[in-house]
Amino acid sequence: MNTFTRCCALNRTKFHRTVLNRQFQTTTRRLLELTSVRYPNVKRGNYGIVKDSDVSEFERLIPGRVLTDSLEGYNIDWLKTCRGASQVVLRPKSTEEVSAILKYCNERKLAVVPQGGNTGLVGGSVPVFDEIVISTQLMNKIISLDETSGTLVCQAGCVLATVEDYLSNYKLTIPVDLGAKGSCHIGGNVATNAGGIRLLRYGSLHGNVLGLEAVLASGEVVDCLSTLRKDNTGYDLKQLFVGSEGTLGIITAVSLNCPQKPQAVSVAFLGCESFQTVLDIFKESRHQLGEVLSAFEFMDTQSMTVAKDNLRLNSPITDFPFYVLIETSGSIGKHDEEKLNQFLENVMSSGLVQDGTVATEPTKIQNIWSLRERLAEGLLHDGYCYKYDVSLPLPSFYDLVEAMRERLGTMVTRVVGYGHVGDGNLHLNMTSPEYSTEVMAKIEPYLYDWVADKKGSISAEHGLGFKKRDFIYHSKSKSAVVLMKEIKKTFDPNMILNPYKVLPDF
Ligand code: FAD
Ligand code: 2HG
Ligand code: ZN
């Protein structure tokens, strides 16, 4: 069937907030095994234990913002795979308060976990044992916006979608966008160096964060909150905090480079017969769409089943082994549409694509994006989700999905592959009704060995957090890890910041 259904600007914000909030409610209601039970090899460090006198001191430092009851939502991660046993959550409002809290915790050797929206997918945002949660929830102020240069400065706890809404009033947008935008914080995005669906267009946060402010374990405030595009004075320290997952300091404010909001957005959803066709279409789209190409995502037929069966979403096209989502964004709609139409005509006449649909209207665009962006949520309906996020050279990209399918057979409910193929980033997920050590033993370290063998990365964008830290050597050399440990010791000599995360035991 050679038909393209024609369906204008993009607005996913409201929808995503609803979805994420609903997800959080289900997530926190059920109780799961403690992390310390599921992972008995991890031993509690020699940290202080929170006493009543500590709680009183916290109450003195941030009156009315010390939580000691109903902490499940802060102890359990979004995936419902890790559960800590923290007894205290602190909700500072200012950098000075974060500084005072950390200074005290450092002196008492109390371990802490920085937490933003708690949407992280590697167990990094929740305690492993009884670490104190320091939440940025109340650090949600926009500090300044320079409309001319598009430079935004905000506190770390601003919710991504809220910042995007704010910027749209000034015809600006945010260079990072992801399915968790309704809940995740800018600080969390920077701390994880989140990738998402706009990386293809705007590059990573390493390029878009112009400056940041962070508080070290000692309570010292590191002011790197520059708003300059160019600044070659000394070492670029802010980059160390980007992607450090809360292990080097608590990010309290961020300065971001914000591009113009695209005035015209179109999305094409195409069916493909093979993964090689997906790659051929990617090559053609780079070549023919050039500067208007803003996202290139793929999902396999097993992912579409999740969208249909678990999320009750409808596919706008007939069934195919693979699907490609192409987004174009630009300033002149007619020009972009012409380019997209010409491209679609070419890929159809060359036989690369047999069916597809194009959307330019916001609701239809949203419906198409939901098929891809809500997969993480849909997989949770199966029970337990073994989640992997790898970078691979494109020629071997999908081979890993097939290898895992063959290896796991009927041990799992399904093996699905989707992701940011335009960035070489595969999301590989396996599910089973509940956590199984047998399944886990079949996946790890096999999967990591496979990725290392192809010179890929075992974490493309989600980070190492708690779950993947022991596999860092699959992607980084021994000398690099030694240097990382030295940096950690310099920034946090008592190791109170997010222990058991990112780096293997010292
Ligand atoms: P949290 O989950 O609270 O924390 C994440 C880590 O950062 C933790 O280690 C925490 O200690 C640390 N941290 C948080 N705030 C601070 C701070 N202020 N200072 C220092 N450390 C801090 N990721 C992608 O890269 N691309 C995607 O496309 C993507 N899509 C997602 C879709 C869904 C539905 C979900 C649930 C998650 C997705 N993620 C994605 C995971 C991603 O890492 C997070 O969504 C987001 O970047 C984390 O922000 P957060 O505020 O929730 O951080
Ligand atoms: C996405 O791109 C997120 O949707 C989540 O990074 C990936 O579900 C996943 O594995
Ligand atoms: Zn992703």
Side-chain angles (χ1 to χ4, degrees), residues 121 372-373 375-376 379 387-388 418 420 427 429 461-462:
L121 299 173
R372 160 64 189 88
E373 276 200 302
L375 289 171
L379 285 161
K387 188 167 285 295
Y388 297 89
Y418 55 91
H420 318 288
H427 291 316
N429 287 266
E461 59 174 14
H462 297 160

Side-chain angles (χ1 to χ4, degrees), residues 108-125:
R108 283 270 301 113
K109 231 179 155 218
L110 297 170
V112 304
V113 183
Q115 191 179 89
N118 195 12
T119 66
L121 299 173
V122 287
S125 53

Side-chain angles (χ1 to χ4, degrees), residues 74-245:
Y74 298 92
N75 271 314
I76 299 175
D77 68 329
W78 189 86
L79 285 171
K80 274 189 284 173
T81 52
C82 293
R83 183 170 149 238
S86 181
Q87 306 288 317
V88 189
V89 174
L90 306 176
R91 305 203 303 159
K93 283 185 174 170
S94 66
T95 304
E96 293 69 30
E97 288 181 349
V98 173
S99 169
I101 291 167
L102 283 180
K103 186 170 185 300
Y104 180 81
C105 290
N106 197 40
E107 282 164 8
R108 283 270 301 113
K109 231 179 155 218
L110 297 170
V112 304
V113 183
Q115 191 179 89
N118 195 12
T119 66
L121 299 173
V122 287
S125 53
V126 288
V128 174
F129 295 95
D130 55 348
E131 301 89 276
I132 296 169
V133 175
I134 303 184
S135 164
T136 53
Q137 267 168 348
L138 303 179
M139 301 185 67
N140 53 7
K141 295 208 167 34
I142 305 264
I143 299 170
S144 66
L145 174 69
D146 180 336
E147 285 182 62
T148 313
S149 63
T151 310
L152 173 93
V153 183
C154 68
Q155 278 190 300
C158 289
V159 171
L160 177 57
T162 310
V163 176
E164 188 182 43
D165 285 351
Y166 170 83
L167 287 168
S168 71
N169 298 323
Y170 301 91
K171 300 195 170 99
L172 295 169
T173 193
I174 188 127
V176 61
D177 187 10
L178 41 96
K181 68 185 334 176
S183 300
C184 64
H185 296 185
I186 297 292
N189 299 149
V190 173
T192 55
N193 185 24
I197 56 176
R198 291 189 184 159
L199 192 135
L200 184 75
R201 162 65 60 92
Y202 301 117
S204 87
L205 282 171
H206 278 293
N208 288 299
V209 172
L210 300 177
L212 57 75
E213 177 190 72
V215 183
L216 301 183
S218 62
E220 190 171 341
V221 179
V222 182
D223 180 359
C224 295
L225 200 53
S226 169
T227 54
L228 303 171
R229 287 295 293 267
K230 300 177 83 173
D231 176 15
N232 277 353
T233 52
Y235 303 137
D236 193 359
L237 290 179
K238 68 171 184 285
Q239 299 296 356
L240 280 175
F241 294 96
V242 180
S244 63
E245 302 182 59

